Amino acid sequence: MKHFLTLILTLSVVALFAQPANRIVANPEYSKNIISKHIYGHFSEHLGHCIYGGYFVDEGSTIPNTRRIRTDIVDALKKIKIPNLRWPGGCFADEYHWNDGIGLRSERPKMVNTNWGGVTEDNSFGTHEFLDLCEMLGTEPYICGNVGSGTVAEMSKWVEYLNFDGVSPMADLRKKNGHDKPWKVRFWGVGNENWGCGGSMTAEFYADQYRRYATYARNYGDAKLMKIAGGANSGDYHWTETLMKNVPLNMMWGISLHYYTIPKTWASKGSATAFGEDEYFSAMKSCLHMEELVSRHSAVMDQYDPEKRVALAVDEWGIWTDVEPGTNPGFLFQQNSLRDALIAASTLNIFNNHSDRVRMSNLAQTVNVLQALILTDKEKMLLTPTYHIYDLYQVHQEATLIPLVLRTKDYVLGNDKLPALNASASRDKDGNIHISVVNIDPTNAQDLQIDIAGTQALKASAQILTSEKYTDHNTFEKPNALKPAPFAGTKKSGESISLKVPAKSVVMITLAK
């Protein structure tokens, strides 16, 4: 018997080492979680040229627009089916008073944007303009209310203005301002970063404030609010636990989490396009830390909510670098390289794989700010590499997650290492399977075998986003330098797919009927 067990153990070890070094194993029969489309949400704050000079053009502009909302931006975002848009902030939300942004534009009071550049805002883009934009995009509005400098009554009246279909002071005012029927806004943030720019509160104090504000943010008719509590900064697990412990679960649809990928340090973040491999590696390490954050915040939430009724909404994330030389440091304008596309793809893979708890996320930010999808310069517009990731990944929206087991080689630099590959997979309503694979190793291609049960009759095709250098990016002179292309490197045999994933690339594999 002893010799027999030794033989079995030896054969098992031999079999293990005979397998490919990089391998994905998945079985669609174990699928159950839906990847919420709201994981693919976005964020537009009154910051720099995101709104003014981005979505919203000057009165009388020759740039094609509808009611001052820029047409080419709307068309680009509709193409990738953005599911929701968060507004007006961010830090701006907790100094914004919504009634200053309604009525005749000529009569709206001006304000100073103290958080972002100290510029004077004329409030010409307010509630009606934002919801007009959302209707053009075919997306759901996600409005963040003012807890830091606002009042309970102010927030309560804003909800009534938006959602009440009847006779009341706020509904009558909405009708007077030109919108007869309510918008029925669902997603509602009760404050933003209340541990910092939203009031410098403790977790315990904010939990009490949340209950007050949320109580008076009423449901009207069938417009049931999905209230999102202002959650933790990065790894502040105490904040999450305090909210879960002190706020009744039926008062929250979700709790937010904010985390930014920082290539170097907060004081000196590094360039968006001029960096070496040390900085590239540290950025990828910072990005992949999201896996630990989501896992640990989810574990805290599981203690109080094992049925996962409350969503984790990562409603600010992305890479944050130094601003482009010569631009206003308060406007947070940065370029967008292949590195940023790899960060976006890797992060979305993490969210997909945690879709049992993560049911919303919002990339910061949509136009001209931080990890933007779109950059503009007067009449010019370009789509960034990050935009193309959202284009490739839209197939995961509302698809069923296919859990997978991934074994990967490491990407090694000096004495440190990271997993070279990351991935997620889903099956859409038509039965097609999509596998998104990222190779963060900037030098080495990775041979990969993928085994997915029950896919004998499906045909494989793929697209790829990559470039010669990880610093490569699109410019207004060369706006299409980086964009997805067909990838002919996949070979399918039965239920197995083999491919060589090129260095620093994102590959989207489709198995279609």
Side-chain angles (χ1 to χ4, degrees):
M1 174 63 75
K2 179 180 178 181
H3 293 296
F4 176 74
L5 291 175
T6 302
L7 176 62
I8 293 297
L9 178 61
T10 302
L11 291 174
S12 299
V13 171
V14 170
L16 175 64
F17 281 94
Q19 296 296 326
N22 298 307
R23 190 181 183 199
I24 291 172
V25 178
N27 189 335
E29 295 304 314
Y30 294 108
S31 303
K32 60 178 181 178
N33 296 325
I34 300 297
I35 299 172
S36 172
K37 65 181 180 180
H38 292 293
I39 285 175
Y40 291 83
H42 294 280
F43 175 34
S44 291
E45 184 170 5
H46 286 249
L47 197 175
H49 292 301
C50 186
I51 303 293
Y52 303 105
Y55 288 109
F56 205 56
V57 301
D58 293 337
E59 191 75 54
S61 173
T62 58
I63 298 171
N65 68 90
T66 301
R67 295 181 294 280
R68 292 180 61 180
I69 295 172
R70 187 166 171 156
T71 306
D72 53 3
I73 291 179
V74 169
D75 290 343
L77 295 178
K78 285 177 69 175
K79 181 178 183 293
I80 60 172
K81 298 182 175 65
I82 73 166
N84 68 73
L85 187 62
R86 182 173 180 249
W87 172 87
C91 291
F92 183 82
D94 280 288
E95 66 175 354
Y96 181 67
H97 301 284
W98 69 271
N99 50 349
D100 291 341
I102 59 173
L104 293 175
R105 289 179 184 151
S106 60
E107 297 178 1
R108 298 180 188 179
K110 294 179 172 59
M111 65 172 290
V112 180
N113 189 337
T114 59
N115 283 289
W116 305 118
V119 297
T120 298
E121 300 243 354
D122 67 1
N123 275 315
S124 58
F125 189 95
T127 296
H128 288 253
E129 290 77 16
F130 171 66
L131 293 166
D132 191 17
L133 169 63
C134 289
E135 288 175 357
M136 290 185 194
L137 292 170
T139 195
E140 282 209 59
Y142 169 16
I143 292 179
C144 186
N146 183 342
V147 170
S149 68
T151 66
V152 172
E154 181 182 15
M155 184 180 291
S156 178
K157 288 178 180 179
W158 199 3
V159 175
E160 180 186 329
Y161 186 90
L162 293 165
N163 288 355
F164 183 57
D165 189 10
V167 177
S168 78
M170 292 300 103
D172 292 346
L173 181 59
R174 182 192 70 237
K175 294 171 186 176
K176 178 183 175 182
N177 289 331
H179 206 275
D180 186 60
K181 289 295 181 181
W183 287 282
K184 298 185 178 180
V185 172
R186 295 195 307 159
F187 291 116
W188 193 262
V190 182
N192 166 78
E193 294 190 358
N194 301 98
W195 39 262
C197 63
S200 298
M201 304 175 189
T202 64
E204 291 75 11
F205 182 79
Y206 173 72
D208 290 342
Q209 293 302 301
Y210 176 87
R211 292 199 305 270
R212 286 184 65 226
Y213 280 77
T215 295
Y216 293 97
R218 306 288 193 185
N219 295 325
Y220 292 102
D222 59 355
K224 184 177 180 180
L225 290 184
M226 301 168 77
K227 299 168 192 174
I228 299 168
N233 176 23
S234 187
D236 186 351
Y237 305 108
H238 169 73
W239 188 283
T240 298
E241 182 160 21
T242 300
L243 290 180
M244 294 298 295
K245 184 167 56 176
N246 293 349
V247 178
L249 298 185
N250 62 5
M251 291 187 75
M252 301 183 291
W253 177 83
I255 293 177
S256 72
L257 169 65
H258 289 183
Y259 176 71
Y260 286 94
T261 292
I262 306 298
K264 293 172 68 177
T265 67
W266 275 101
S268 177
K269 300 177 186 70
S271 168
T273 57
F275 53 87
E277 190 171 356
D278 283 351
E279 206 166 311
Y280 170 85
F281 185 95
S282 64
M284 298 311 304
K285 185 174 184 178
S286 178
C287 159
L288 295 177
H289 182 56
M290 183 68 85
E291 172 70 37
E292 178 182 336
L293 292 173
V294 168
S295 296
R296 292 187 63 183
H297 281 289
S298 296
V300 171
M301 296 172 76
D302 286 347
Q303 295 177 38
Y304 299 88
D305 176 29
E307 296 178 350
K308 302 183 187 294
R309 290 177 290 171
V310 180
L312 183 60
V314 191
D315 59 14
E316 284 190 34
W317 68 274
I319 185 169
W320 193 331
T321 69
D322 293 335
V323 301
E324 289 302 297
T327 65
N328 187 325
F331 284 6
L332 305 188
F333 177 80
Q334 65 189 49
Q335 250 293 356
N336 194 289
S337 69
L338 176 63
R339 175 186 67 178
D340 304 340
L342 297 171
I343 286 169
S346 298
T347 305
L348 290 170
N349 281 341
I350 292 170
F351 294 160
N352 288 346
N353 289 327
H354 287 274
S355 55
D356 59 338
R357 180 67 79 177
V358 179
R359 297 196 284 277
M360 174 181 274
S361 85
N362 302 81
L363 178 69
Q365 294 186 11
T366 318
V367 185
N368 290 330
V369 172
L370 297 176
Q371 191 172 352
L373 301 182
I374 293 169
L375 302 179
T376 65
D377 179 13
K378 300 181 177 65
E379 75 286 350
K380 298 177 183 176
M381 186 198 82
L382 66 80
L383 306 176
T384 68
T386 296
Y387 172 93
H388 294 304
I389 293 300
Y390 276 83
D391 194 7
L392 289 173
Y393 274 54
Q394 65 176 290
V395 295
H396 288 309
Q397 292 189 28
E398 295 300 310
T400 304
L401 176 73
I402 300 175
L404 54 81
V405 177
L406 167 65
R407 182 172 60 186
T408 173
K409 290 183 179 179
D410 291 324
Y411 160 37
V412 180
L413 186 67
N415 296 322
D416 210 346
K417 62 184 180 180
L418 296 168
L421 299 178
N422 63 79
S424 66
S426 68
R427 180 170 53 189
D428 66 23
K429 60 181 176 58
D430 297 319
N432 304 313
I433 290 173
H434 303 281
I435 311 140
S436 45
V437 181
V438 182
N439 179 8
I440 67 169
D441 191 316
T443 306
N444 301 304
Q446 301 290 333
D447 290 310
L448 174 63
Q449 179 178 318
I450 304 173
D451 299 313
I452 301 188
T455 59
Q456 298 96 326
L458 302 183
K459 181 180 179 181
S461 62
Q463 289 182 285
I464 187 170
L465 181 69
T466 189
S467 193
E468 182 180 351
K469 297 181 290 186
Y470 44 58
T471 54
D472 286 347
H473 55 280
N474 292 332
T475 65
F476 293 109
E477 293 71 33
K478 295 182 178 180
N480 295 311
L482 276 75
K483 63 179 183 180
F487 179 65
T490 59
K491 297 179 181 178
K492 189 169 185 295
S493 176
E495 297 180 340
S496 293
I497 304 164
S498 60
L499 67 153
K500 185 182 289 289
V501 186
K504 56 189 180 308
S505 73
V506 180
V507 177
M508 177 62 78
I509 302 163
T510 297
L511 300 177
K513 292 182 178 179

